[in-house]
Amino acid sequence: MKPASLFGKELLHYNYGWFGSDGQFYLLFNATKGESDPRNMNGVPQSFQPLELPRQLFSDSSNHMEAGQVCTSIGVDVSKSRSPTGVECPPITITLQKDKAAFLVSQTTAGRKHIMANDAMPEYMLRNRDNWHRLAQGMRHAVHKDEIVMISGWVKTRSWVLGLGQKRGTTMIVNGVAADNANEGLRVDSTDPSSVTRRGPAQFRLQSGQINPLRDQCIFLNYYKAKSRIFAPPKLEANAGPHNLPDSNEDPDNERFDVTTNNDVETTSGDDDDIEIAEYPPVPSNHHPIDAALDFILESAECDVAIASDVDVHDILEGVPWPDDVNEFLKRRELSLDIGEDKKVGKFSVKDMIVRKYQNLAAHRHDNEPIPPEPTDQPGPSSAEHSDYEQDESTIPTADGRWRASAIIPGKIDGDTFEWPHIKLSEPDDDEAGATCPAAVSPDGKLVAAGFEDAVVRVWDIDTGALMLKLQAHADNVAAVAFSPDCSKLVSGSADGVAIVWSTYTGENLAQLVGHEGDIWCLAYSPDGATVATGSIDCTVKLWDAHTYDIIHTLDDHPSVVQCMAFSSDSSLLVTSAQDQGKVWNTRTGHLVSSLSGHENVVWAVSFSPDGRRIVTGSEDNTSRIWNSATGDELVTIREHTNPVWTVQFSPDGQEVLSGSYDSTISLCDSYLGTQRNLLRNVASTVTSAAYSPDGDYIASGYSDGSVNVWNAKKGTIMADFKGHEDKVKAVIFSPDGQEIVSSSDDGSVRVWSMEDVVRLVPTF
């Protein structure tokens, strides 16, 4: 038999198909492409509706596997020699501790792309699998509908080798080749001539001095699969576990190992060149991880169909090696299953996965284990240096005298109630910090800063929650903070009338901006990093050179306390508000450009449109208004609220404005016509803050009762109701990548909530 020419280069998320007896993946259609797309040349299912998933669900790692990393079945010992100079993959010794065992080696680093476990994909499969099966039948494919799978991820490399040893005690040596001769791939020498090896891509061995320039060799797949209660377990020939190849059955007559690859593959054997690894007789269905998971669901719950993915199983294993009997392992775990009200489908609970993730993080911190941070290329303090801290928030200095801080709130499932897990940013043993000002997130999304009533500014790592900096120089309550665009500086304004510029790398007090004769209530960094603006109860706004720290202009045409301010995206304009008026200033000359007159009471909020040509304001007079920033002309008056408007913002595309009110609602209106598109209401509490996500797909809102909500901006539907704060929420803000929501409150806490967790639980169709 000839080795299968297996599918790899065009394997994409949302591909539907099945694995044939030859181990090849056969494409049925792609769920995101239209009927005219070449991938769907054979047609699409009846009543086809494309599946669209939020980008937060996608994970992309360019170095998922290191060069020379080995994946094995159970019963394989691995030892590596020291890597000689110029050798990308050092010699590896494989020793079999049992008959029939397999291994795979990636010669080069392997990348991974996958979709995290979520509720949307199983629901999509349940709704459409009958139509998929009819499409396959119409194409005259003899495939059972339970054999149709959905690709949800893959691991790809440039060069690989797969080995199968037949006898216990066999030693197989994998020899790496110098990078400049990598066209020869990996060589495998075995003490048993019956051992079998396959490797790819074969064609590059024929071209002297060349290596495979593409990372197109698919060595592992992730996928979703369904199983009906009334049908026998389907046969599946491929396994996509990301770390260990599941062990074979001890019975040598029921042995199979197979790996999905791309392009040409070469099979070598000491005894038979025609051996096809994917052609071993079928193993019991409960041996395959996904089949075991499906059987477990059907045995444990009353449902017609079970749906699971190998990512579910990997999550449940929590890093332990694949067990001999996956089904029995699942039975010993206390696992939650989601069963639809109509009992049509059963699946592993994504809520349970999320809670378990945070419980594991909390347990690691309780055991004093550092949490590995993401690499950082920023100089100075980084998550790499200050990443570990205690769950109980005790003060434990790190090596350089900094603090471990913050708490993991694991959340819990109580019937139909889900308490969302999150990170509470705090300083250990300090309950006297008092209320916090609106928090700020650095433009690179790595840091969170907030000022407190105890006159201290605190800065945390957003991913680990580690307290990075504790900045002390103010003499009174800190009312506002803002990061510089390059993230190297942080400015804070206080009731002591002084603004201080800090280094975010060292915590050094770089400059004190002295000039106001009263409390500073608001401040902002210009997007170009050249200017700092401060507003005070002394009725003035001061513009400071962000490099020399000199006063550039004093803007004193305000009738009272300066409440709020914002820069235009090009930094050329600054809008400020005092009493019932807004003022637009030229930041270069300090000249008044226009006045925004028309409100009948205090203006509480201002926001520029993305292009800087328009401004939206929210007022105590129950209205929000849109103005021409250059002329001050009132363009639109929005009267959708029955109480004062506390927060306003343009959508990222400028087509819509939101306004949050004392009447407990958020109104979404067309920014040109003023017509209402959606009205958001969930809790009977004042909306104190609201913000669009960077892509405009979601809205986060904070309330006076401490609630934080997440909404689908297009549909106007609620996605999550976060509980944790015990007092008014001062601010909600998305991180620049939209992956986190940060909220700060008068209860003195700052909390970080995961949008990844939210979109995993909420179907988007």
Side-chain angles (χ1 to χ4, degrees):
M1 290 177 289
K2 296 181 179 180
S5 177
L6 301 180
F7 201 82
K9 183 180 297 185
E10 293 299 324
L11 280 174
L12 303 171
H13 304 127
Y14 314 112
N15 272 339
Y16 284 87
W18 65 94
F19 295 99
S21 60
D22 58 359
Q24 181 168 343
F25 177 80
Y26 290 89
L27 176 65
L28 184 58
F29 73 102
N30 184 285
T32 64
K33 306 299 179 182
E35 190 171 0
S36 61
D37 189 274
R39 296 178 183 87
N40 291 334
M41 61 183 300
N42 294 318
V44 295
Q46 182 181 359
S47 304
F48 173 64
Q49 291 183 341
L51 172 61
E52 297 181 2
L53 293 177
R55 61 180 179 81
Q56 288 89 349
L57 288 177
F58 292 82
S59 178
D60 189 346
S61 172
S62 60
N63 293 297
H64 180 68
M65 292 175 61
E66 297 178 354
Q69 186 167 332
V70 185
C71 297
T72 73
S73 63
I74 294 174
V76 176
D77 282 347
V78 179
S79 62
K80 287 187 178 183
S81 303
R82 186 174 180 179
S83 179
T85 303
V87 175
E88 189 167 1
C89 180
I92 300 169
T93 301
I94 306 291
T95 305
L96 273 60
Q97 301 299 319
K98 61 186 288 296
D99 292 340
K100 307 285 187 180
F103 67 90
L104 181 142
V105 180
S106 175
Q107 182 181 12
T108 59
T109 56
R112 183 189 186 197
K113 290 186 177 181
H114 77 286
I115 303 169
M116 287 172 284
N118 61 83
D119 281 342
M121 294 177 74
E123 179 68 20
Y124 188 76
M125 290 191 75
L126 180 67
R127 290 186 181 187
N128 297 287
R129 61 197 298 260
D130 288 338
N131 289 336
W132 303 341
H133 187 226
R134 282 191 285 270
L135 176 65
Q137 289 178 319
M139 296 165 61
R140 298 186 178 183
H141 293 303
V143 58
H144 192 281
K145 69 178 179 181
D146 284 358
E147 294 180 290
I148 298 176
V149 301
M150 179 179 186
I151 301 298
S152 62
W154 44 255
V155 177
K156 292 184 181 180
T157 186
R158 285 176 11 205
S159 177
W160 55 273
V161 66
L162 170 70
L164 171 63
Q166 308 285 348
K167 299 177 182 179
R168 179 176 181 149
T170 297
T171 298
M172 304 174 76
I173 308 295
V174 182
N175 293 295
V177 179
D180 57 356
N181 290 316
N183 58 296
E184 296 186 19
L186 295 169
R187 297 194 311 272
V188 180
D189 300 316
S190 176
T191 59
D192 177 17
S194 67
S195 299
V196 180
T197 60
R198 297 176 68 188
R199 59 180 173 178
Q203 68 267 36
F204 285 97
R205 298 181 65 254
L206 306 177
Q207 302 176 24
S208 177
Q210 294 187 15
I211 63 172
N212 181 7
L214 302 175
R215 187 183 282 177
D216 62 0
Q217 300 290 295
C218 186
I219 55 177
F220 292 112
L221 290 177
N222 302 116
Y223 54 88
Y224 278 84
K225 187 183 180 187
K227 182 176 182 179
S228 306
R229 181 177 294 278
I230 59 175
F231 295 108
K235 178 183 178 183
L236 187 63
E237 294 295 337
N239 174 30
H243 296 298
N244 293 88
L245 302 173
D247 188 30
S248 62
N249 189 283
E250 292 293 334
D251 183 355
D253 294 329
N254 286 327
E255 188 65 41
R256 179 192 67 193
F257 295 92
D258 52 275
V259 171
T260 302
T261 61
N262 179 54
N263 300 329
D264 295 334
V265 292
E266 178 178 308
T267 303
T268 61
S269 169
D271 294 338
D272 188 352
D273 288 339
D274 290 333
I275 289 179
E276 171 55 62
I277 294 177
E279 293 279 338
Y280 288 98
V283 296
S285 65
N286 67 353
H287 177 73
H288 192 286
I290 301 183
D291 286 325
L294 295 171
D295 288 343
F296 170 79
I297 293 172
L298 292 175
E299 292 169 7
S300 304
E302 295 182 6
C303 58
D304 297 335
V305 178
I307 298 178
S309 76
D310 60 313
V311 175
D312 297 337
V313 180
H314 180 65
D315 176 87
I316 294 168
L317 289 174
E318 297 180 342
V320 304
W322 292 96
D324 285 316
D325 190 332
V326 175
N327 194 301
E328 186 61 32
F329 175 85
L330 296 175
K331 291 178 180 178
R332 293 196 301 267
R333 299 297 303 269
E334 295 182 2
L335 300 174
S336 297
L337 298 176
D338 282 342
I339 310 300
E341 293 183 1
D342 54 8
K343 296 186 178 180
K344 286 186 177 180
V345 64
K347 55 188 176 64
F348 291 106
S349 169
V350 177
K351 289 181 180 178
D352 193 46
M353 296 180 196
I354 293 172
V355 170
R356 190 161 56 243
K357 176 183 71 173
Y358 284 85
Q359 287 174 337
N360 290 338
L361 286 174
H364 288 158
R365 296 179 183 190
H366 183 72
D367 293 338
N368 225 359
E369 298 178 8
I371 305 299
E374 291 293 325
T376 177
D377 54 7
Q378 289 279 5
S382 68
S383 57
E385 296 172 325
H386 317 297
S387 62
D388 49 339
Y389 53 92
E390 291 295 304
Q391 180 190 7
D392 62 4
E393 300 183 63
S394 59
T395 303
I396 302 178
T398 58
D400 61 356
R402 298 186 185 279
W403 303 268
R404 296 172 180 175
S406 300
I408 294 290
I409 311 298
K412 64 180 180 180
I413 305 170
D414 185 7
D416 293 333
T417 302
F418 181 48
E419 296 184 10
W420 288 88
H422 60 282
I423 298 178
K424 177 185 175 183
L425 304 180
S426 59
E427 180 185 350
D429 298 334
D430 190 349
D431 298 325
E432 305 299 327
T436 172
C437 74
V441 177
S442 61
D444 62 5
K446 295 181 179 180
L447 300 176
V448 177
F452 293 80
E453 285 184 329
D454 65 357
V456 177
V457 177
R458 294 170 175 86
V459 182
W460 295 270
D461 181 285
I462 196 171
D463 292 325
T464 67
L467 180 63
M468 307 296 289
L469 298 168
K470 184 177 179 180
L471 309 176
Q472 303 178 82
H474 285 295
D476 207 336
N477 170 47
V478 179
V481 294
F483 283 96
S484 63
D486 66 359
C487 308
S488 65
K489 299 175 184 178
L490 175 74
V491 61
S492 57
S494 167
D496 62 13
V498 177
I500 300 179
V501 181
W502 312 85
S503 167
T504 58
Y505 301 150
T506 66
E508 179 185 358
N509 182 335
L510 299 176
Q512 296 198 8
L513 311 183
V514 179
H516 284 294
E517 298 178 359
D519 303 12
I520 293 177
W521 274 32
C522 55
L523 54 77
Y525 242 110
S526 64
D528 63 5
T531 309
V532 172
T534 55
S536 170
I537 66 171
D538 66 7
C539 307
T540 70
V541 169
K542 294 187 182 296
L543 301 183
W544 310 79
D545 186 301
H547 305 296
T548 66
Y549 311 118
D550 296 327
I551 294 178
I552 305 172
H553 303 291
T554 297
L555 315 177
D556 54 9
D557 190 20
H558 297 91
S560 65
V561 176
V562 180
Q563 300 278 0
C564 53
M565 61 173 54
F567 278 99
S568 61
S569 58
D570 65 0
S571 303
S572 66
L573 300 176
L574 176 74
V575 60
T576 60
S577 72
Q579 283 191 354
D580 59 359
Q581 293 187 3
K583 303 284 186 180
V584 182
W585 309 87
N586 183 306
T587 58
R588 308 296 193 265
T589 65
H591 294 160
L592 181 65
V593 174
S594 61
S595 294
L596 314 180
S597 301
H599 281 297
E600 299 173 0
N601 213 322
V602 177
V603 174
W604 294 114
V606 296
S607 175
F608 269 102
S609 63
D611 61 9
R613 295 180 179 181
R614 294 175 296 158
I615 295 168
V616 61
T617 55
S619 170
E620 183 80 14
D621 66 7
N622 305 348
T623 71
S624 54
R625 305 180 188 227
I626 299 174
W627 316 79
N628 183 306
S629 58
T631 65
D633 292 338
E634 184 175 334
L635 304 175
V636 179
T637 301
I638 300 174
R639 304 181 186 276
E640 299 292 347
H641 295 290
T642 58
N643 288 105
V645 176
W646 294 110
T647 181
V648 293
Q649 190 181 53
F650 273 93
S651 61
D653 63 5
Q655 299 299 308
E656 187 174 86
V657 290
L658 68 75
S659 56
S661 170
Y662 191 92
D663 64 12
S664 306
T665 69
I666 299 171
S667 180
L668 308 183
C669 295
D670 186 292
S671 67
Y672 292 99
L673 302 176
T675 54
Q676 189 177 84
R677 294 179 172 180
N678 272 309
L679 186 67
L680 315 181
R681 180 167 186 165
N682 180 50
V683 297
S685 182
T686 301
V687 181
T688 54
S689 179
Y692 284 97
S693 62
D695 58 11
D697 290 341
Y698 310 106
I699 291 171
S701 54
Y703 299 84
S704 59
D705 69 352
S707 300
V708 175
N709 288 177
V710 182
W711 306 83
N712 183 309
K714 309 305 180 186
K715 299 179 180 179
T717 55
I718 189 166
M719 302 175 67
D721 186 357
F722 298 144
K723 302 295 185 183
H725 290 299
E726 298 176 354
D727 205 337
K728 179 178 72 175
V729 175
K730 282 282 190 67
V732 290
I733 183 172
F734 281 91
S735 60
D737 61 4
Q739 296 283 32
E740 287 91 19
I741 296 171
V742 176
S743 58
S744 55
S745 167
D746 274 347
D747 66 4
S749 72
V750 180
R751 298 171 189 259
V752 180
W753 315 85
S754 170
M755 272 302 297
E756 172 190 303
D757 295 342
V758 174
V759 298
R760 289 179 67 181
L761 292 175
V762 181
T764 57
F765 46 87

